[in-house]
Amino acid sequence: NSAVLCVAGLVGYVLLLDILGFSVCTIALLSGLVFLLGMKPWPKALLTGLIGTAVFVLMFGRVLGVTLPRGLGVVKELSFYLY
């Protein structure tokens, strides 16, 4: 059922946000949701997730100065290049 997968995706997003960071979690969530809502094939859904995340990072992280979760380890280090 799509609704159950959407809720599971949101729960996973919340649980993993501090570990994997905003960018990784948001790419995965947006890509998964648009795929579940009918955007096929996977590369198109992934591109939508990437573009959507880039817009969010630009708007909130850069323009508005909102502190976004960076994640841990390598993900944290890479996030400094984005926001």
Side-chain angles (χ1 to χ4, degrees), residues 7-83:
V7 171
L10 289 171
V11 170
Y13 181 84
V14 170
L15 293 175
L16 294 173
L17 194 58
D18 287 331
I19 298 167
L20 296 177
F22 180 82
S23 297
V24 173
C25 286
T26 305
I27 290 168
L29 180 69
L30 289 178
S31 299
L33 288 178
V34 297
F35 185 80
L36 281 174
L37 294 173
M39 183 177 283
K40 309 276 191 290
W42 262 106
K44 190 174 178 183
L46 181 60
L47 182 62
T48 302
L50 286 167
I51 292 170
T53 300
V55 169
F56 289 146
V57 167
L58 179 67
M59 188 169 37
F60 291 104
R62 297 263 180 171
V63 174
L64 297 175
V66 175
T67 303
L68 302 172
R70 294 192 180 274
L72 302 174
V74 175
V75 177
K76 181 177 183 177
E77 299 301 319
L78 292 174
S79 73
F80 285 106
Y81 294 106
L82 299 173
Y83 51 92

